[in-house]
Amino acid sequence: MRRTTRRKLTRAGLYVLFFALVIAVVAAADWQRLGEQFLRFDIAREQLPEIITIALRNTILFTLISFVGGLLLGVVLALMKLSSVPPYRWFATVYVEIFRGLPALLTIFAMAYMVPIALGIRVPGGQVGAGLIGLILVAGAYIAEVIRAGIQAVPKGQTEASRSLGMSPTKTMGWIVLPQGFRIIIPPLTNEFVLLLKDTSLLFIAGSTVMTKELTTFARDGLTTHSNGTPLVMAAMLYLLVTIPLTRLVALLERRMARGR
Amino acid sequence: MSDQGGREPAITMRGVRKSFGDNEVLKGIDLTVRPGEVVCVIGPSGSGKSTLLRTINLLEEPSAGSIHIEGVDILDPDCDIDAVRTRIGMVFQQFNLFPHLDVLGNLTIAQRKVLRRGRREAEQTARTMLDRVGLAEKATAYPAHLSGGQQQRVAIARALSMNPDMMLFDEPTSALDPELVGEVLDVMKLLVEAGMTMIVVTHEMGFAREMGDRLVFMDEGVIIEEGVPHEVLARPRHARTQAFLSKVL
């Protein structure tokens, strides 16, 4: 058999296998029951408008808070990691290893219950607020690595040119290196944002009140109340409504970066 | 070594050494540059010319020796190196313009952040310098939209915007397409004519012969010989200088 013939046959076989599997699943599934369990319009209507005005709003709010917090923490950790003073480097390295190595869920859980006890303070937002601190700690560790990579991607000649003009190390970092580094890391940073948006679902472990429910918690409560999966489907669609445009944006940015300015 | 008119030398280097790990790149450099003097440094690649230049504004810290800039010991731990650097302009082989700032931004950032000049004063100085390098119309362009020759002229204007007393050129035309070399050399000639103190590491023998007050030939981390450019070029005394010149001339 010629090689091209054999390749054509393999491809045809793969097509047949794929559609056979799809048809088997479609035929085996109980569509009516699935529809009743996951796409009930009366239940869907009942979720509105709170699933948007409270749940989606909280998801976005928590994402923004943890992203901004993680960004500030990330800049500090990245600068520490690149510091010429060894203890700062050690601290940042250990920090990043710990919070990247632990499950985010565990960190959030621990913070939600530990922070109020350890510091004897009431975090604004109660346990969810304390849980958010956990999410910021985790986000900071990931974002620190992204920022460090961005700083190191700025050519050394930029630092040298800046220093040769009499700019101090701090001024050089603030006016020359960081602005360029941030430009480089916009795509991976947007990626972190999307990951963080999804990770806000982990805040359910912190326990939430009616007003602090985010999408996943809201949907889970809906699932329990109605013994029906429709709220989960709605939450899923709302997540995708935000994440898909964002990931498209990242792809667009990456293409623009590749073309170069 | 003799001070012209009793003035302090612009640059005095004594016994300067620099090692990268086990590799000693500078093996005891003595060099004095008088105010207004133009010194061209030539030599094979790896001879330490760039390192020599980069020790003068302490982009490379010497392992041993002493460097004085206008009488200030820059290796003194108490020396404010940033203040000294504002008096030494530097031009790099790769231009190193700041890509996130437009031309005016490149020329004003250090004026404003280091010299604390106001926006108007900084921009006025910047425009004067842009005019000197013939790029007044490019004030709002970004570096990526300029040719290599234009970028290097902007880099020269950026250094001049700090009103330095001396300028260091590290192979300023080596990264340029041949047809763009002339415009950069022309700007440098204007600086020479204006009396700027300059150290130029270069492969442009024509520029060295025409514009240099002194030619320094380096090899393997030492100054092999120095003298009036046309004499060194025409009658090199050392075998190594002869060998090098026979290859490049």
Side-chain angles (χ1 to χ4, degrees):
Chain A
M1 220 188 310
R2 295 203 3 237
R3 223 182 34 224
T4 49
T5 326
R6 204 162 53 203
R7 200 184 300 156
K8 272 182 198 160
L9 277 174
T10 316
R11 280 175 65 89
L14 286 173
Y15 270 110
V16 169
L17 179 67
F18 178 77
F19 287 110
L21 285 172
V22 170
I23 290 167
V25 170
V26 168
D30 186 339
W31 288 101
Q32 204 190 340
R33 265 191 62 199
L34 274 178
E36 279 166 18
Q37 280 302 313
F38 288 94
L39 294 169
R40 283 260 302 276
F41 285 106
D42 53 326
I43 295 177
R45 257 200 305 276
E46 230 171 279
Q47 307 300 308
L48 293 168
E50 284 82 5
I51 196 167
I52 291 173
T53 55
I54 294 177
L56 180 61
R57 175 185 158 276
N58 279 340
T59 291
I60 291 174
L61 182 69
F62 294 163
T63 308
L64 289 175
I65 292 174
S66 49
F67 185 71
V68 170
L71 203 57
L72 295 175
L73 183 60
V75 170
V76 173
L77 285 168
L79 292 176
M80 284 175 86
K81 200 151 191 189
L82 297 172
S83 166
S84 55
V85 186
Y88 285 89
R89 283 204 304 273
W90 300 333
F91 177 86
T93 306
V94 169
Y95 179 96
V96 169
E97 289 306 325
I98 288 178
F99 285 100
R100 273 200 319 186
L102 289 175
L105 190 60
L106 183 95
T107 308
I108 292 168
F109 196 36
M111 285 304 138
Y113 293 96
M114 263 169 53
V115 167
I117 297 171
L119 302 179
I121 50 161
R122 281 192 40 170
V123 183
Q127 277 188 344
V128 170
L132 266 175
I133 293 179
L135 200 51
I136 289 173
L137 293 181
V138 177
Y142 283 96
I143 293 176
E145 284 300 280
V146 171
I147 294 175
R148 181 189 55 79
I151 290 173
Q152 286 180 324
V154 177
K156 230 178 121 227
Q158 292 292 308
T159 305
E160 292 180 349
S162 176
R163 296 305 309 276
S164 77
L165 288 164
M167 304 255 276
S168 68
T170 313
K171 285 173 188 163
T172 298
M173 185 55 78
W175 294 101
I176 305 301
V177 178
L178 278 183
Q180 292 183 56
F182 266 106
R183 215 154 291 201
I184 296 169
I185 62 172
I186 285 173
L189 214 50
T190 318
N191 217 20
E192 285 300 326
F193 187 86
V194 173
L195 292 176
L196 212 47
L197 180 91
K198 294 186 290 179
D199 278 354
T200 54
S201 64
L202 301 174
L203 286 168
F204 81 85
I205 198 79
S208 39
T209 60
V210 178
M211 290 315 288
T212 59
K213 282 181 194 170
E214 41 67 50
L215 271 174
T216 300
T217 316
F218 190 92
R220 204 184 55 147
D221 292 351
L223 175 75
T224 332
T225 323
H226 300 281
S227 301
N228 189 285
T230 306
L232 290 184
V233 174
M234 290 183 73
M237 290 195 316
L238 287 171
Y239 274 118
L240 293 179
L241 206 66
V242 183
T243 53
I244 290 178
L246 269 176
T247 45
R248 301 316 304 157
L249 181 71
V250 176
L252 191 80
L253 287 171
E254 265 168 355
R255 243 175 321 180
R256 266 185 55 183
M257 301 293 262
R259 242 186 290 130
R261 211 166 48 84
Chain B
M1 226 145 296
S2 61
D3 291 0
Q4 226 173 22
R7 276 205 289 166
E8 209 150 26
I11 304 167
T12 314
M13 306 175 82
R14 286 285 168 269
V16 171
R17 293 173 174 273
K18 173 67 184 177
S19 301
F20 295 102
D22 291 338
N23 183 22
E24 189 166 50
V25 183
L26 297 181
K27 300 171 181 164
I29 298 290
D30 294 306
L31 185 69
T32 306
V33 179
R34 295 184 306 273
E37 197 178 17
V38 177
V39 177
C40 293
V41 184
I42 60 169
S45 61
S47 58
K49 327 181 278 293
S50 287
T51 309
L52 164 73
L53 203 66
R54 291 160 59 86
T55 55
I56 294 172
N57 65 355
L58 233 52
L59 284 184
E60 304 290 355
E61 191 134 0
S63 322
S66 75
I67 301 174
H68 288 76
I69 303 295
E70 295 170 338
V72 176
D73 177 4
I74 61 167
L75 295 178
D76 182 341
D78 292 332
C79 167
D80 179 0
I81 187 64
D82 290 333
V84 174
R85 280 175 175 154
T86 63
R87 286 184 272 144
I88 311 173
M90 186 159 191
V91 176
F92 299 86
Q93 185 178 349
Q94 299 296 338
F95 329 136
N96 295 344
L97 292 181
F98 306 133
H100 61 302
L101 302 174
D102 66 7
V103 166
L104 219 47
N106 268 274
L107 268 60
T108 52
I109 182 108
Q111 288 189 67
R112 302 198 55 195
K113 303 301 166 193
V114 182
L115 303 180
R116 301 270 167 215
R117 286 178 185 161
R119 176 191 289 276
R120 280 186 55 178
E121 189 192 356
E123 287 190 357
Q124 203 172 2
T125 312
R127 288 184 191 279
T128 310
M129 297 310 164
L130 274 183
D131 206 36
R132 276 179 81 177
V133 302
L135 288 172
E137 80 284 3
K138 295 288 183 188
T140 55
Y142 277 86
H145 297 131
L146 302 175
S147 73
Q150 291 172 332
Q151 289 192 48
Q152 194 60 299
R153 282 147 70 197
V154 170
I156 294 172
R158 175 175 69 180
L160 291 176
S161 293
M162 301 296 282
N163 304 108
D165 299 337
M166 60 195 85
M167 293 276 286
L168 310 176
F169 291 85
D170 189 1
E171 302 198 24
T173 57
S174 296
L176 294 174
D177 291 336
E179 76 271 21
L180 303 175
V181 169
E183 60 187 75
V184 172
L185 291 181
D186 287 344
V187 168
M188 291 168 64
K189 282 176 192 169
L190 288 178
L191 284 181
V192 175
E193 281 154 15
M196 177 63 79
T197 310
M198 292 163 61
I199 301 190
V200 185
V201 171
T202 187
H203 295 290
E204 295 292 328
M205 297 303 159
F207 178 87
R209 182 188 292 117
E210 230 184 291
M211 306 310 293
D213 295 314
R214 190 153 40 118
L215 187 63
V216 171
F217 173 71
M218 276 185 77
D219 195 13
E220 293 180 356
V222 293
I223 292 175
I224 302 289
E225 73 174 281
E226 55 182 306
V228 180
H230 69 259
E231 282 175 11
V232 175
L233 291 173
R235 287 178 297 279
R237 290 187 307 262
H238 282 76
R240 275 197 271 181
T241 322
Q242 287 161 12
F244 174 74
L245 289 177
S246 71
K247 274 182 235 158
V248 298
L249 287 181

